[in-house]
Amino acid sequence: MKHILIPTTYSIDTVDAMKMAAGLATSGECEITLLSISPLPDSITELLFISKPEHLALDQHETLLRAWQTVQQHHTVRITVQEHHRFGITEPVFKQILERLSIDMVIIPPSFQRSKDFAHSQFIKLLQKSRCPAMFLPIQKDAPEHLRRALYIDAGNYPGETLESLPFHIIHQSMIRPTEHLSLRQIVESHQIDVIVHGKTTAHADKEISTLGLPVLAV
Amino acid sequence: MCCAKTKRMKIRNRVSLIFVAITATLMLLLSIFIYLLSAHNTHRNFYTRLRVRASLAAEGYAERNAPNGYRAQEMRKRHLQRLPYEKDHFITIDRAAGTWEPDTALQLPDDFYRTALIQSYAEYDDDFHHYVALIPPKGPGDFMVVAYAVDVTGQSYIHQLLNLLIAGFALAIIIVFFLGRLFAQQVIKPVSDLAAKVKHISASNLHSRLDAGNGKDELSQLAQTFNDMLDRLETAFEIQSNFISNASHELRTPLTSILGEAEIILSQPRQQAEYETSIQVMQQEARKLDDLTASLLRLSQVAYDGKNQSIEEAGLEEILLQAKSDIDKRMPGNRVRIMVQDVPDAPDAFRLVCSRVWMELALINILSNSVKYSDNKEVLATLSATANDIYIHVSDSGIGIPENELKHVFEPFFRASNTFSYRGYGIGLPLTEKIIRLHGGKILIHSKPQVGTKVSLRFRRNNTLKSSERNF
């Protein structure tokens, strides 16, 4: 994982996503792009004369960057952070961002998942349709600091090549003995699972997954 | 040097000649086109003028018996310029019979007269001597006029044009030849510069690199390729020199202990018990030496003596379990957990053509490293498969490998800075990497200090047989 995109509302929980991005860096360096999306203004004058920074919550922005600087000092990985702002999001623009920046993974902080803004929910929809891996941080709990083991809960094809570059160990659900008859929560606890991984194309009992309070990686 | 120069000259000349040939062909075709077009236009212009003259001559001839005759001839003389060597001949014809009374002064083919009788107009030229035959439409139709003139101006214009084209062609060829040589020299120069720079790079200055320029053109790519090759060479040299220094250091340490122990014990007469203790120490050090040389021998055998190994199709599942039982014997109390993906649709999913002995050795090395460096914490080993690949992942929650040392772990005798409290020689992982590579596989290590290490092995099912055959 070299280049990670984090869509953000500049809430403080973005730092957790950035920490996770740094933890996923596998080659000693990591590039993080913070993407903020504002709704497209109704009037042309607003679009022309109001600069991008004016659409950001500047105080939150500064708090976040200050918090990140403190966190960054404890990391040995070389991390560069870039910021990118867009007015509205469409499928071609979304694809262009992923291609131009060669994004390896998108990490979505809880505040962005909860956001009711149309552009934000549109971004998540487009992400679900794309082939880029998407990591959804848990809404109720803090994400674990180190990701060691993941549970792949999909009976379909195992995307070995995509998952190979991830630094955590992925346990396929079929590796757990069927005789054990354990619930998902019991499996997670007994095998010390930190992440849930599933395919984007298959439907899951999302409620059960969301109650686990673990990050969910959709590939 | 001499040969290189000759070759360079040859390429330069070849480029110049290709340049000249292409330009000469193009210019020749263009010149022929210009010449033919100009000649055609000159003839056409002259025929037009001669036709007007013939037409007026015919009109004048028809009016010769009129009361105020010769009006047309007067007009012709007064207003129209006479053409060089112009001469008119009036020939009596019989259109109904298709006959004519030829003028003995004219040496013209019969076809010319016949065409004139049919079409009332005919043209004929012998080089720049032009003839036009015309039967006036309004006249009595019993004669035809044959007008003759020489296109002196056209002739001189066409000759001048021809000379100009020949001279221009020759001049252009000479210029193009020299320009071609200059161009070829410019093209060849970076290549010869590159060759000169490469020649200066030897074993003593392997760190030197070529200037890759802007990295966009082919020559920059060539320089970049050379640089990449030099990177690999330098790494190989570095590994080799590290290997030698590390090997000599590792071999010397037990030898020094044995020699020191022997020297001390022999320095004065001692008790039986002291001799025994000393010999035990020496035996221990000699065993270390034996272990080390045996590991070294195995490492070299994988590369050079692999032909003796039997290659067979084996289930990686069995090999992994065999490795686990071996680890159980060597390290009792280990917490290695093996998990295998369930692939009911493909019973042969984990079958691979491999050397069972080497593969088992590689897996034992990885598992024992994980157990050793995680202080007997749980080690997880999983076996999974996709349509084309087989994956083995081994992870632990051990001491990990420092970020900047990860790239050196496959170098023989390298030991990470946080492993000094653990026994080892730094041979296991290089040996494993060599075995995996020989099986057409790939080994990848992810590690974080104090968090853990994950080793991933990937084997391509389709490529395995080929690469095994090639290497073993």
Short mmCIF file of all heavy atoms in Angstrom, two decimals, chain A residues 20 108 110 113 134-153 184-198 206-218:
data_model
loop_
_atom_site.label_atom_id
_atom_site.label_comp_id
_atom_site.label_asym_id
_atom_site.label_seq_id
_atom_site.Cartn_x
_atom_site.Cartn_y
_atom_site.Cartn_z
N MET A 20 -4.27 4.56 10.49
CA MET A 20 -4.42 3.25 9.87
C MET A 20 -3.66 3.20 8.55
O MET A 20 -2.99 2.21 8.24
CB MET A 20 -5.89 2.93 9.64
CG MET A 20 -6.07 1.55 9.07
SD MET A 20 -7.75 1.01 9.06
CE MET A 20 -7.96 0.52 10.73
N ILE A 108 -12.38 5.17 4.87
CA ILE A 108 -13.47 6.11 5.11
C ILE A 108 -13.68 6.27 6.62
O ILE A 108 -14.06 5.32 7.31
CB ILE A 108 -14.78 5.64 4.44
CG1 ILE A 108 -14.52 5.39 2.96
CG2 ILE A 108 -15.89 6.65 4.56
CD1 ILE A 108 -14.51 3.98 2.57
N PRO A 110 -15.45 7.40 10.21
CA PRO A 110 -16.86 7.31 10.60
C PRO A 110 -17.66 8.57 10.29
O PRO A 110 -18.80 8.49 9.84
CB PRO A 110 -16.79 7.08 12.11
CG PRO A 110 -15.43 6.60 12.38
CD PRO A 110 -14.55 7.09 11.32
N GLN A 113 -18.78 8.54 6.84
CA GLN A 113 -19.83 7.53 6.61
C GLN A 113 -21.18 8.03 7.11
O GLN A 113 -22.22 7.76 6.52
CB GLN A 113 -19.49 6.24 7.36
CG GLN A 113 -18.27 5.52 6.81
CD GLN A 113 -17.88 4.33 7.68
OE1 GLN A 113 -18.71 3.54 8.07
NE2 GLN A 113 -16.61 4.24 8.01
N ALA A 134 -11.88 -0.71 -0.23
CA ALA A 134 -12.39 0.37 0.62
C ALA A 134 -12.46 -0.12 2.06
O ALA A 134 -13.05 -1.15 2.34
CB ALA A 134 -13.77 0.78 0.14
N MET A 135 -11.82 0.63 2.95
CA MET A 135 -11.81 0.26 4.37
C MET A 135 -12.75 1.20 5.12
O MET A 135 -12.54 2.41 5.14
CB MET A 135 -10.38 0.38 4.90
CG MET A 135 -10.22 0.13 6.36
SD MET A 135 -10.14 -1.62 6.74
CE MET A 135 -8.39 -1.94 6.54
N PHE A 136 -13.80 0.64 5.71
CA PHE A 136 -14.75 1.44 6.49
C PHE A 136 -14.38 1.31 7.96
O PHE A 136 -14.40 0.21 8.51
CB PHE A 136 -16.18 0.93 6.25
CG PHE A 136 -16.65 1.16 4.83
CD1 PHE A 136 -16.39 0.22 3.83
CD2 PHE A 136 -17.33 2.31 4.49
CE1 PHE A 136 -16.79 0.43 2.53
CE2 PHE A 136 -17.74 2.53 3.18
CZ PHE A 136 -17.47 1.59 2.20
N LEU A 137 -14.05 2.43 8.58
CA LEU A 137 -13.69 2.38 10.00
C LEU A 137 -14.96 2.20 10.83
O LEU A 137 -16.04 2.67 10.44
CB LEU A 137 -12.96 3.66 10.40
CG LEU A 137 -11.61 3.89 9.74
CD1 LEU A 137 -10.88 5.03 10.42
CD2 LEU A 137 -10.73 2.65 9.82
N PRO A 138 -14.86 1.53 11.99
CA PRO A 138 -16.07 1.29 12.79
C PRO A 138 -16.65 2.59 13.35
O PRO A 138 -15.90 3.50 13.72
CB PRO A 138 -15.55 0.39 13.92
CG PRO A 138 -14.10 0.64 13.98
CD PRO A 138 -13.66 0.98 12.61
N ILE A 139 -17.97 2.64 13.40
CA ILE A 139 -18.63 3.87 13.83
C ILE A 139 -18.69 3.95 15.36
O ILE A 139 -18.38 4.98 15.94
CB ILE A 139 -20.03 3.98 13.17
CG1 ILE A 139 -19.84 4.20 11.67
CG2 ILE A 139 -20.85 5.11 13.79
CD1 ILE A 139 -21.07 4.30 10.86
N GLN A 140 -18.99 2.83 16.00
CA GLN A 140 -19.19 2.90 17.45
C GLN A 140 -17.88 2.91 18.23
O GLN A 140 -17.76 3.54 19.25
CB GLN A 140 -20.02 1.70 17.96
CG GLN A 140 -21.39 1.60 17.37
CD GLN A 140 -21.39 0.67 16.16
OE1 GLN A 140 -20.35 0.47 15.53
NE2 GLN A 140 -22.54 0.15 15.82
N LYS A 141 -16.89 2.16 17.72
CA LYS A 141 -15.65 1.99 18.50
C LYS A 141 -14.46 2.60 17.77
O LYS A 141 -14.55 2.90 16.59
CB LYS A 141 -15.37 0.48 18.65
CG LYS A 141 -16.14 -0.22 19.72
CD LYS A 141 -15.53 -1.61 19.82
CE LYS A 141 -16.35 -2.53 20.67
NZ LYS A 141 -15.82 -3.89 20.61
N ASP A 142 -13.34 2.72 18.51
CA ASP A 142 -12.10 3.16 17.86
C ASP A 142 -11.52 1.97 17.10
O ASP A 142 -11.66 0.83 17.54
CB ASP A 142 -11.08 3.61 18.90
CG ASP A 142 -11.50 4.94 19.50
OD1 ASP A 142 -12.35 5.61 18.89
OD2 ASP A 142 -11.00 5.29 20.59
N ALA A 143 -10.89 2.25 15.99
CA ALA A 143 -10.27 1.17 15.20
C ALA A 143 -9.06 0.64 15.97
O ALA A 143 -8.39 1.40 16.67
CB ALA A 143 -9.83 1.71 13.86
N PRO A 144 -8.79 -0.69 15.91
CA PRO A 144 -7.61 -1.21 16.61
C PRO A 144 -6.32 -0.58 16.09
O PRO A 144 -6.23 -0.22 14.91
CB PRO A 144 -7.66 -2.71 16.30
CG PRO A 144 -8.63 -2.89 15.22
CD PRO A 144 -9.52 -1.70 15.18
N GLU A 145 -5.34 -0.45 16.98
CA GLU A 145 -4.12 0.27 16.58
C GLU A 145 -3.30 -0.51 15.56
O GLU A 145 -2.82 0.02 14.57
CB GLU A 145 -3.28 0.54 17.83
CG GLU A 145 -2.24 1.61 17.60
CD GLU A 145 -1.42 1.89 18.84
OE1 GLU A 145 -1.83 1.44 19.94
OE2 GLU A 145 -0.38 2.52 18.71
N HIS A 146 -3.16 -1.83 15.82
CA HIS A 146 -2.42 -2.67 14.88
C HIS A 146 -3.34 -3.72 14.30
O HIS A 146 -4.05 -4.39 15.05
CB HIS A 146 -1.24 -3.36 15.58
CG HIS A 146 -0.28 -2.39 16.17
ND1 HIS A 146 0.45 -1.53 15.39
CD2 HIS A 146 0.06 -2.13 17.45
CE1 HIS A 146 1.20 -0.77 16.16
NE2 HIS A 146 0.98 -1.12 17.42
N LEU A 147 -3.31 -3.87 13.01
CA LEU A 147 -4.15 -4.89 12.37
C LEU A 147 -3.28 -6.13 12.15
O LEU A 147 -2.30 -6.08 11.42
CB LEU A 147 -4.69 -4.37 11.04
CG LEU A 147 -5.48 -3.06 11.11
CD1 LEU A 147 -5.92 -2.63 9.73
CD2 LEU A 147 -6.69 -3.19 12.01
N ARG A 148 -3.64 -7.21 12.81
CA ARG A 148 -2.84 -8.43 12.67
C ARG A 148 -3.57 -9.50 11.88
O ARG A 148 -3.00 -10.15 11.03
CB ARG A 148 -2.48 -8.98 14.05
CG ARG A 148 -1.44 -8.18 14.79
CD ARG A 148 -0.96 -8.97 15.99
NE ARG A 148 0.08 -8.26 16.70
CZ ARG A 148 -0.14 -7.48 17.76
NH1 ARG A 148 -1.37 -7.30 18.20
NH2 ARG A 148 0.86 -6.87 18.36
N ARG A 149 -4.87 -9.68 12.20
CA ARG A 149 -5.61 -10.76 11.56
C ARG A 149 -6.93 -10.27 11.01
O ARG A 149 -7.62 -9.47 11.64
CB ARG A 149 -5.88 -11.88 12.56
CG ARG A 149 -4.64 -12.66 12.88
CD ARG A 149 -4.96 -13.78 13.81
NE ARG A 149 -3.74 -14.45 14.24
CZ ARG A 149 -3.71 -15.41 15.12
NH1 ARG A 149 -4.83 -15.83 15.67
NH2 ARG A 149 -2.57 -15.95 15.45
N ALA A 150 -7.29 -10.80 9.85
CA ALA A 150 -8.56 -10.43 9.23
C ALA A 150 -9.35 -11.69 8.94
O ALA A 150 -8.77 -12.76 8.72
CB ALA A 150 -8.28 -9.67 7.95
N LEU A 151 -10.65 -11.55 8.94
CA LEU A 151 -11.49 -12.69 8.60
C LEU A 151 -12.15 -12.40 7.26
O LEU A 151 -12.83 -11.38 7.10
CB LEU A 151 -12.56 -12.89 9.68
CG LEU A 151 -13.51 -14.06 9.43
CD1 LEU A 151 -12.78 -15.39 9.52
CD2 LEU A 151 -14.65 -14.04 10.43
N TYR A 152 -11.94 -13.28 6.31
CA TYR A 152 -12.54 -13.11 4.99
C TYR A 152 -13.87 -13.86 4.96
O TYR A 152 -13.89 -15.09 4.99
CB TYR A 152 -11.59 -13.62 3.91
CG TYR A 152 -12.08 -13.37 2.52
CD1 TYR A 152 -11.99 -12.11 1.95
CD2 TYR A 152 -12.65 -14.38 1.76
CE1 TYR A 152 -12.46 -11.85 0.68
CE2 TYR A 152 -13.12 -14.14 0.49
CZ TYR A 152 -13.02 -12.88 -0.03
OH TYR A 152 -13.49 -12.62 -1.30
N ILE A 153 -14.96 -13.10 4.95
CA ILE A 153 -16.27 -13.78 5.06
C ILE A 153 -16.97 -13.77 3.70
O ILE A 153 -17.92 -13.04 3.49
CB ILE A 153 -17.17 -13.14 6.12
CG1 ILE A 153 -17.20 -11.61 5.96
CG2 ILE A 153 -16.74 -13.48 7.50
CD1 ILE A 153 -18.39 -11.00 6.62
N LEU A 184 -20.51 -15.31 14.40
CA LEU A 184 -19.46 -14.45 13.86
C LEU A 184 -18.69 -13.79 15.01
O LEU A 184 -17.46 -13.71 15.00
CB LEU A 184 -20.09 -13.40 12.94
CG LEU A 184 -19.12 -12.57 12.11
CD1 LEU A 184 -18.26 -13.44 11.25
CD2 LEU A 184 -19.87 -11.57 11.26
N ARG A 185 -19.42 -13.33 16.02
CA ARG A 185 -18.77 -12.67 17.16
C ARG A 185 -17.81 -13.63 17.88
O ARG A 185 -16.68 -13.25 18.22
CB ARG A 185 -19.83 -12.15 18.13
CG ARG A 185 -19.25 -11.43 19.35
CD ARG A 185 -20.32 -10.80 20.18
NE ARG A 185 -20.90 -9.64 19.54
CZ ARG A 185 -20.34 -8.43 19.49
NH1 ARG A 185 -19.17 -8.24 20.04
NH2 ARG A 185 -20.93 -7.43 18.89
N GLN A 186 -18.26 -14.90 18.03
CA GLN A 186 -17.41 -15.87 18.72
C GLN A 186 -16.14 -16.17 17.91
O GLN A 186 -15.06 -16.29 18.47
CB GLN A 186 -18.19 -17.17 18.95
CG GLN A 186 -19.17 -17.05 20.10
CD GLN A 186 -20.13 -18.22 20.13
OE1 GLN A 186 -20.56 -18.71 19.08
NE2 GLN A 186 -20.48 -18.66 21.33
N ILE A 187 -16.32 -16.24 16.58
CA ILE A 187 -15.15 -16.49 15.71
C ILE A 187 -14.16 -15.35 15.86
O ILE A 187 -12.96 -15.54 16.03
CB ILE A 187 -15.58 -16.65 14.23
CG1 ILE A 187 -16.41 -17.91 14.06
CG2 ILE A 187 -14.38 -16.68 13.31
CD1 ILE A 187 -17.04 -18.06 12.70
N VAL A 188 -14.69 -14.12 15.82
CA VAL A 188 -13.85 -12.93 15.91
C VAL A 188 -13.07 -12.94 17.22
O VAL A 188 -11.87 -12.66 17.25
CB VAL A 188 -14.73 -11.66 15.77
CG1 VAL A 188 -14.00 -10.43 16.26
CG2 VAL A 188 -15.16 -11.47 14.32
N GLU A 189 -13.76 -13.29 18.29
CA GLU A 189 -13.09 -13.26 19.59
C GLU A 189 -12.08 -14.40 19.73
O GLU A 189 -10.96 -14.18 20.19
CB GLU A 189 -14.13 -13.34 20.71
CG GLU A 189 -14.76 -11.97 20.95
CD GLU A 189 -16.02 -12.01 21.77
OE1 GLU A 189 -16.35 -13.09 22.30
OE2 GLU A 189 -16.70 -10.97 21.85
N SER A 190 -12.48 -15.61 19.28
CA SER A 190 -11.57 -16.74 19.48
C SER A 190 -10.33 -16.67 18.59
O SER A 190 -9.28 -17.18 18.94
CB SER A 190 -12.30 -18.06 19.26
OG SER A 190 -12.74 -18.10 17.93
N HIS A 191 -10.46 -16.04 17.45
CA HIS A 191 -9.30 -15.98 16.53
C HIS A 191 -8.61 -14.62 16.55
O HIS A 191 -7.76 -14.36 15.70
CB HIS A 191 -9.73 -16.34 15.11
CG HIS A 191 -10.08 -17.78 14.94
ND1 HIS A 191 -11.33 -18.26 15.22
CD2 HIS A 191 -9.34 -18.84 14.58
CE1 HIS A 191 -11.36 -19.56 15.01
NE2 HIS A 191 -10.15 -19.95 14.63
N GLN A 192 -8.96 -13.79 17.48
CA GLN A 192 -8.36 -12.44 17.61
C GLN A 192 -8.38 -11.67 16.30
O GLN A 192 -7.36 -11.21 15.81
CB GLN A 192 -6.92 -12.55 18.12
CG GLN A 192 -6.82 -13.17 19.48
CD GLN A 192 -5.48 -13.83 19.71
OE1 GLN A 192 -4.59 -13.78 18.88
NE2 GLN A 192 -5.36 -14.47 20.84
N ILE A 193 -9.58 -11.59 15.73
CA ILE A 193 -9.72 -10.92 14.43
C ILE A 193 -9.78 -9.40 14.64
O ILE A 193 -10.47 -8.92 15.55
CB ILE A 193 -11.01 -11.41 13.72
CG1 ILE A 193 -10.98 -12.92 13.49
CG2 ILE A 193 -11.26 -10.66 12.42
CD1 ILE A 193 -9.94 -13.44 12.55
N ASP A 194 -9.04 -8.65 13.79
CA ASP A 194 -9.04 -7.19 13.89
C ASP A 194 -9.82 -6.53 12.75
O ASP A 194 -10.20 -5.37 12.84
CB ASP A 194 -7.60 -6.64 13.83
CG ASP A 194 -6.72 -7.27 14.88
OD1 ASP A 194 -7.16 -7.30 16.03
OD2 ASP A 194 -5.63 -7.73 14.53
N VAL A 195 -9.97 -7.23 11.64
CA VAL A 195 -10.62 -6.65 10.45
C VAL A 195 -11.55 -7.69 9.83
O VAL A 195 -11.23 -8.88 9.82
CB VAL A 195 -9.60 -6.26 9.35
CG1 VAL A 195 -10.22 -5.36 8.30
CG2 VAL A 195 -8.37 -5.63 9.91
N ILE A 196 -12.65 -7.21 9.28
CA ILE A 196 -13.53 -8.10 8.50
C ILE A 196 -13.32 -7.74 7.03
O ILE A 196 -13.31 -6.57 6.66
CB ILE A 196 -15.02 -7.86 8.87
CG1 ILE A 196 -15.27 -8.13 10.36
CG2 ILE A 196 -15.94 -8.69 7.99
CD1 ILE A 196 -15.20 -9.59 10.78
N VAL A 197 -13.12 -8.76 6.21
CA VAL A 197 -12.93 -8.52 4.77
C VAL A 197 -14.03 -9.24 4.01
O VAL A 197 -14.37 -10.39 4.33
CB VAL A 197 -11.55 -9.06 4.29
CG1 VAL A 197 -11.30 -8.68 2.85
CG2 VAL A 197 -10.43 -8.55 5.16
N HIS A 198 -14.61 -8.55 3.05
CA HIS A 198 -15.59 -9.23 2.19
C HIS A 198 -15.55 -8.65 0.78
O HIS A 198 -15.00 -7.56 0.56
CB HIS A 198 -17.01 -9.15 2.79
CG HIS A 198 -17.58 -7.78 2.84
ND1 HIS A 198 -18.08 -7.14 1.74
CD2 HIS A 198 -17.73 -6.91 3.87
CE1 HIS A 198 -18.51 -5.95 2.09
NE2 HIS A 198 -18.31 -5.78 3.38
N ASP A 206 -25.20 -7.19 7.00
CA ASP A 206 -24.44 -6.02 7.42
C ASP A 206 -24.63 -5.67 8.89
O ASP A 206 -23.72 -5.16 9.53
CB ASP A 206 -24.82 -4.81 6.55
CG ASP A 206 -24.21 -4.96 5.17
OD1 ASP A 206 -23.28 -5.77 5.07
OD2 ASP A 206 -24.68 -4.29 4.24
N LYS A 207 -25.82 -5.96 9.39
CA LYS A 207 -26.10 -5.58 10.78
C LYS A 207 -25.17 -6.31 11.74
O LYS A 207 -24.61 -5.72 12.65
CB LYS A 207 -27.56 -5.91 11.12
CG LYS A 207 -28.50 -4.78 10.76
CD LYS A 207 -29.86 -5.04 11.28
CE LYS A 207 -30.80 -3.95 10.75
NZ LYS A 207 -32.18 -4.30 10.99
N GLU A 208 -25.00 -7.61 11.51
CA GLU A 208 -24.14 -8.40 12.38
C GLU A 208 -22.70 -7.90 12.33
O GLU A 208 -22.03 -7.80 13.35
CB GLU A 208 -24.21 -9.88 11.99
CG GLU A 208 -23.73 -10.78 13.11
CD GLU A 208 -23.67 -12.23 12.71
OE1 GLU A 208 -24.13 -12.56 11.60
OE2 GLU A 208 -23.16 -13.03 13.52
N ILE A 209 -22.27 -7.55 11.10
CA ILE A 209 -20.89 -7.07 10.95
C ILE A 209 -20.72 -5.74 11.68
O ILE A 209 -19.75 -5.53 12.41
CB ILE A 209 -20.52 -6.92 9.45
CG1 ILE A 209 -20.53 -8.28 8.78
CG2 ILE A 209 -19.16 -6.26 9.29
CD1 ILE A 209 -20.34 -8.24 7.28
N SER A 210 -21.72 -4.85 11.52
CA SER A 210 -21.57 -3.52 12.11
C SER A 210 -21.58 -3.57 13.64
O SER A 210 -20.99 -2.71 14.29
CB SER A 210 -22.64 -2.57 11.58
OG SER A 210 -23.90 -3.10 11.90
N THR A 211 -22.21 -4.59 14.23
CA THR A 211 -22.22 -4.66 15.70
C THR A 211 -20.87 -5.12 16.27
O THR A 211 -20.62 -4.99 17.46
CB THR A 211 -23.31 -5.65 16.20
OG1 THR A 211 -23.08 -6.90 15.56
CG2 THR A 211 -24.71 -5.14 15.92
N LEU A 212 -20.01 -5.66 15.41
CA LEU A 212 -18.72 -6.15 15.89
C LEU A 212 -17.77 -5.01 16.25
O LEU A 212 -16.83 -5.20 17.02
CB LEU A 212 -18.06 -7.03 14.82
CG LEU A 212 -18.77 -8.32 14.44
CD1 LEU A 212 -18.12 -8.94 13.23
CD2 LEU A 212 -18.74 -9.30 15.60
N GLY A 213 -18.02 -3.86 15.67
CA GLY A 213 -17.17 -2.70 15.94
C GLY A 213 -15.77 -2.85 15.38
O GLY A 213 -14.80 -2.39 15.96
N LEU A 214 -15.67 -3.51 14.23
CA LEU A 214 -14.36 -3.69 13.60
C LEU A 214 -14.31 -2.97 12.26
O LEU A 214 -15.36 -2.77 11.63
CB LEU A 214 -14.11 -5.19 13.35
CG LEU A 214 -13.92 -6.09 14.55
CD1 LEU A 214 -13.73 -7.52 14.09
CD2 LEU A 214 -12.70 -5.67 15.36
N PRO A 215 -13.14 -2.60 11.83
CA PRO A 215 -13.05 -2.03 10.48
C PRO A 215 -13.47 -3.08 9.45
O PRO A 215 -13.22 -4.27 9.66
CB PRO A 215 -11.57 -1.69 10.31
CG PRO A 215 -10.95 -1.83 11.64
CD PRO A 215 -11.84 -2.69 12.48
N VAL A 216 -14.10 -2.62 8.38
CA VAL A 216 -14.57 -3.56 7.35
C VAL A 216 -13.90 -3.19 6.03
O VAL A 216 -13.99 -2.06 5.58
CB VAL A 216 -16.10 -3.51 7.20
CG1 VAL A 216 -16.56 -4.44 6.09
CG2 VAL A 216 -16.77 -3.88 8.51
N LEU A 217 -13.21 -4.16 5.46
CA LEU A 217 -12.54 -3.92 4.18
C LEU A 217 -13.35 -4.57 3.07
O LEU A 217 -13.57 -5.78 3.09
CB LEU A 217 -11.12 -4.49 4.22
CG LEU A 217 -10.31 -4.42 2.94
CD1 LEU A 217 -10.03 -2.97 2.56
CD2 LEU A 217 -8.98 -5.16 3.09
N ALA A 218 -13.80 -3.76 2.12
CA ALA A 218 -14.54 -4.30 0.98
C ALA A 218 -13.60 -4.34 -0.22
O ALA A 218 -13.00 -3.32 -0.57
CB ALA A 218 -15.74 -3.44 0.70
#
